[in-house]
Structure formats: C-alpha cells, structure tokens
Amino acid sequence: MSRPDVTTLRVSECFLSIQGEGPSAGVPAHFVRLQGCDVGCHWCDSKYTWGVSGGRESTVDDILDEVRALGDAPLLVVTGGEPLQHDGVYGLLKQALLRWPRVEVETSGIIGPRMHDERLYWNVSPKLPGVTARWEETWRHAGEWARAENATFKLVVGNEQDRDDALRLVAEHGVPASRVMLMPEGLTDDQVLAHAPLVVDTCKAHGFRMSPRLHIWLWGARRGV
Ligand code: SF4
C-alpha cells in the first residue's frame, strides 16, 4: 500500500567526506548529491548528475539512513545538481534537521529562499556571465538571498572578466561584503592555484572571504569525495 507521506527524490550519490568549499570548509560532512540540473555551467564538476542516468529514485528515509550508516559527522550537505529544482527537497531538509545539528544546501540560487531554520545554511552560488547562458536567472533572487538569514554567496572566479562581473553583480544586488566568498575556478589543483592570486587580491581589496577547494587539492575532480 502506498504511503502518502513518503517523499521520493532522485539521488546521484551519498558519501562521507569533508566539506571542501564555503564557510564550513574542512568540517567532516555527510553529502547527499541529488540528480538533476539544467543550469548548464561549462565548468560544472558534476555533469554526471544532469541526466536521469546519473541517479536513482529513493525515499527521504532511505537516503538519510544510507548516509547515516557511513559514520558520524556534524554536518549534512545537500548538493547536486541543483537541489532546489526538486520539489521533495524541503521534506528532505525537514527530516535532516531532526538528525544533524547543521545542514547546508549548495544552490545556484535559481529558485529563491522558501524555508528557514536557524540550523539550515545556504551556500548560494549564482553564475557569472562567462559560465552559462542562464546566468541572469541565477541572480533573479539574489536580493532575497542577500536578506535571508544563513545565506553565503560563493562566486567562482577564473579570470579578470569574472572578477569584474562579480563586483558589478554583488553591488547591483546589494549583497553585503560579509556575505561574499570568492573561490578560484578549477578542476585541477594547478588551475585553482593559477586563479588564486586574483581571488586573494580581490578579497583583500573588497573585504570578501576566500573559499578553498579542498576536495580538488586532496583528490582532484573525482566522484564520491
Ligand atoms: Fe553544475 Fe551547479 Fe552549474 Fe548545475 S548549477 S550546471 S550542478 S555547477
């Protein structure tokens, strides 16, 4: 017999690692990577999640039981793909907040904030014009995200045009500097290091924070880490 309260989502992978980016970088974390995204970033490091062959259907309970069975961690990261393009993600987050002291969502921001909890954090990564033709859609809700509690903007910078675009868009949307992290673009450690000086200089000049890419440093662009 079907249970009307069961929510299913398409999940790509679950794993235990450390948070590699953003304000909690370095914290041991469970990851739930949902399948599906149509934002189309050219440097996307999880293109395998774009199509349905990159995931499987699972219930919220089964997903959370699966990650809990991997070991202990104080943080759950819900990522993708684009988690907010799943109707069931809010059910997942509500259940996750019953089991983890802190939950983070990695999103492009293409959908605005629809849920609040003091232990729920949003790592919002709207895209710059050089990354995808849909970049403007990812900034559509930036003002709402900038006013939302627990939201940090994480902008990926790979060249001077990205830097200029990031500065312009942050100013246009009224994002406070204290909410902004810049992260060097790169799928290899060499690429990240090559872009890091520009990010450091920009952070120093504008009061932003720099985000590492610890998983790239440690393991390269591999799945499940
Ligand atoms: Fe990849 Fe994220 Fe861009 Fe989607 S929004 S294409 S998952 S980088």
Side-chain angles (χ1 to χ4, degrees), residues 45-122:
D45 59 5
S46 52
K47 288 182 178 172
Y48 53 88
T49 68
W50 289 5
V52 290
S53 62
R56 56 190 154 86
E57 194 87 9
S58 189
T59 66
V60 166
D61 283 345
D62 285 349
I63 293 168
L64 297 181
D65 287 348
E66 182 179 336
V67 285
R68 267 297 186 205
L70 298 171
D72 290 328
L75 170 65
L76 174 72
V77 180
V78 178
T79 185
E82 172 46 80
L84 301 191
Q85 289 182 326
H86 294 254
D87 290 337
V89 72
Y90 302 103
L92 176 74
L93 296 175
K94 284 177 189 155
Q95 289 300 313
L97 286 163
L98 300 177
R99 305 194 197 191
W100 277 266
R102 180 180 173 112
V103 177
E104 295 185 1
V105 180
E106 305 281 345
T107 176
S108 66
I110 198 162
I111 292 167
R114 294 183 182 169
M115 181 176 169
H116 166 73
D117 188 283
E118 62 183 10
R119 293 184 291 109
L120 179 60
Y121 290 77
W122 308 93

Side-chain angles (χ1 to χ4, degrees), residues 204-223:
K204 284 161 58 181
H206 296 276
F208 303 150
R209 283 177 290 168
M210 179 176 178
S211 170
R213 300 204 79 196
L214 295 177
H215 50 303
I216 296 294
W217 172 49
L218 291 165
W219 300 293
R222 278 176 40 199
R223 292 183 61 163

Side-chain angles (χ1 to χ4, degrees), residues 8-212:
T8 62
L9 299 102
R10 291 198 60 79
V11 61
S12 178
E13 55 189 352
C14 299
F15 54 95
L16 174 60
S17 185
I18 59 167
Q19 172 62 299
E21 304 175 351
S24 299
V27 175
H30 293 104
F31 286 79
V32 171
R33 186 184 301 285
L34 299 179
Q35 180 267 309
C37 180
D38 59 12
V39 179
C41 305
H42 72 78
W43 42 240
C44 178
D45 59 5
S46 52
K47 288 182 178 172
Y48 53 88
T49 68
W50 289 5
V52 290
S53 62
R56 56 190 154 86
E57 194 87 9
S58 189
T59 66
V60 166
D61 283 345
D62 285 349
I63 293 168
L64 297 181
D65 287 348
E66 182 179 336
V67 285
R68 267 297 186 205
L70 298 171
D72 290 328
L75 170 65
L76 174 72
V77 180
V78 178
T79 185
E82 172 46 80
L84 301 191
Q85 289 182 326
H86 294 254
D87 290 337
V89 72
Y90 302 103
L92 176 74
L93 296 175
K94 284 177 189 155
Q95 289 300 313
L97 286 163
L98 300 177
R99 305 194 197 191
W100 277 266
R102 180 180 173 112
V103 177
E104 295 185 1
V105 180
E106 305 281 345
T107 176
S108 66
I110 198 162
I111 292 167
R114 294 183 182 169
M115 181 176 169
H116 166 73
D117 188 283
E118 62 183 10
R119 293 184 291 109
L120 179 60
Y121 290 77
W122 308 93
N123 300 329
V124 185
S125 188
K127 308 308 172 191
L128 301 177
V131 178
T132 170
R134 299 188 65 189
W135 68 272
E136 284 182 294
E137 294 173 68
T138 67
W139 286 90
R140 188 179 292 158
H141 305 284
E144 293 169 69
W145 283 116
R147 292 186 296 276
E149 290 182 46
N150 297 349
T152 299
F153 282 66
K154 185 177 64 183
L155 306 178
V156 180
V157 170
N159 54 50
E160 293 181 352
Q161 184 64 57
D162 286 346
R163 175 203 57 197
D164 294 346
D165 289 333
L167 292 174
R168 174 177 57 81
L169 288 161
V170 162
E172 281 180 9
H173 292 278
V175 185
S178 60
R179 296 258 191 148
V180 177
M181 299 187 81
L182 299 186
M183 185 169 74
E185 187 241 312
L187 294 177
T188 67
D189 206 29
D190 286 346
Q191 291 169 343
V192 171
L193 280 172
H195 299 142
L198 176 62
V199 167
V200 171
D201 288 346
T202 310
C203 288
K204 284 161 58 181
H206 296 276
F208 303 150
R209 283 177 290 168
M210 179 176 178
S211 170

